[in-house]
Amino acid sequence: MTRYIALLGSINVGGNRLKMAELREALEREDFADVETVVASGNVLFSHDERPSDGLAEKIAYIVRERFDIDTFAAVRSRDELASAIADNPFAGDGEPNRVHTVFTQEPVDRAAFEMFMDGYQGPERLAPGTREFFVDFCEGVADSKLGQAMRHLKLRSTARNVRSLQRMLDKMDSN
């Protein structure tokens, strides 16, 4: 079995309350093994027969929607994909670890549309595109950022994690 992490979007925000114990139980009933939550809500480590991460993401989103009536998506990554999401972040080495984020998207990032957005965006954040994610340095802090609202027209369903949390998740994957 292969070890994966699922990063769920919109969990325990905006009224989408979900107890992690109930999520673990629901996934275990559906052939996910060694299920554990890590760092914060909506981060789930699990083992599963090897298959494309997009298929696992759809399966998890379906379980959460059917069992808990929460419309979410899951960014599922293998251990190596998670390590790349940290290593490929161009801001990880020089930004504050709690302000530097990898933003995982449901669909691949349209580089042309993203670069057009970056050309027109006037906020203080530093941005860089990836493949199934993009990278942000919230230089002046996350709380007051207008980036999320500005990106709505790109229609990217996404969930963000800072590099400090991602590293803790990777360390947890490596310790199992």
Side-chain angles (χ1 to χ4, degrees), residues 1-107:
M1 293 189 121
T2 303
R3 196 79 169 138
Y4 295 95
I5 188 155
L7 308 165
L8 281 70
S10 304
I11 297 296
N12 292 340
V13 295
N16 289 332
R17 299 287 171 212
L18 177 57
K19 292 181 180 174
M20 294 298 100
E22 292 176 2
L23 176 60
R24 285 191 303 271
E25 178 186 312
L27 294 175
E28 287 168 349
R29 288 183 180 186
E30 299 293 335
D31 299 325
F32 291 82
D34 308 316
V35 179
E36 59 183 304
T37 54
V38 63
V39 179
S41 316
N43 305 310
V44 184
L45 290 172
F46 63 92
S47 298
H48 199 283
D49 292 333
E50 189 169 337
R51 65 190 280 192
S53 56
D54 288 345
L56 290 169
E58 289 173 11
K59 185 176 179 180
I60 292 169
Y62 176 82
I63 292 167
V64 172
R65 186 172 42 255
E66 292 299 307
R67 176 88 187 261
F68 305 106
D69 198 32
I70 296 174
D71 182 26
T72 189
F73 82 98
V76 174
R77 302 294 189 267
S78 68
R79 184 253 173 243
D80 291 344
E81 290 170 327
L82 180 61
S84 290
I86 299 167
D88 294 348
N89 189 321
F91 313 121
D94 64 350
E96 293 293 323
N98 61 328
R99 292 184 178 184
V100 174
H101 286 66
T102 298
V103 181
F104 299 89
T105 58
Q106 185 172 16
E107 301 293 328

Side-chain angles (χ1 to χ4, degrees), residues 105-144:
T105 58
Q106 185 172 16
E107 301 293 328
V109 175
D110 178 333
R111 288 184 80 86
F114 192 84
E115 288 174 10
M116 275 183 34
F117 171 80
M118 287 188 334
D119 288 343
Y121 181 65
Q122 299 298 312
E125 299 84 3
R126 297 187 295 167
L127 304 166
T131 304
R132 295 189 306 160
E133 63 277 319
F134 61 92
F135 310 102
V136 181
D137 181 0
F138 290 96
C139 311
E140 296 179 6
V142 177
D144 295 326

Side-chain angles (χ1 to χ4, degrees), residues 5-7 38-40 43-45 82 161-162 164-174:
I5 188 155
L7 308 165
V38 63
V39 179
N43 305 310
V44 184
L45 290 172
L82 180 61
R161 303 294 188 276
N162 69 48
R164 177 180 291 150
S165 294
L166 291 173
Q167 186 61 55
R168 288 175 55 198
M169 291 177 221
L170 182 62
D171 292 346
K172 183 77 171 169
M173 288 182 91
D174 287 344

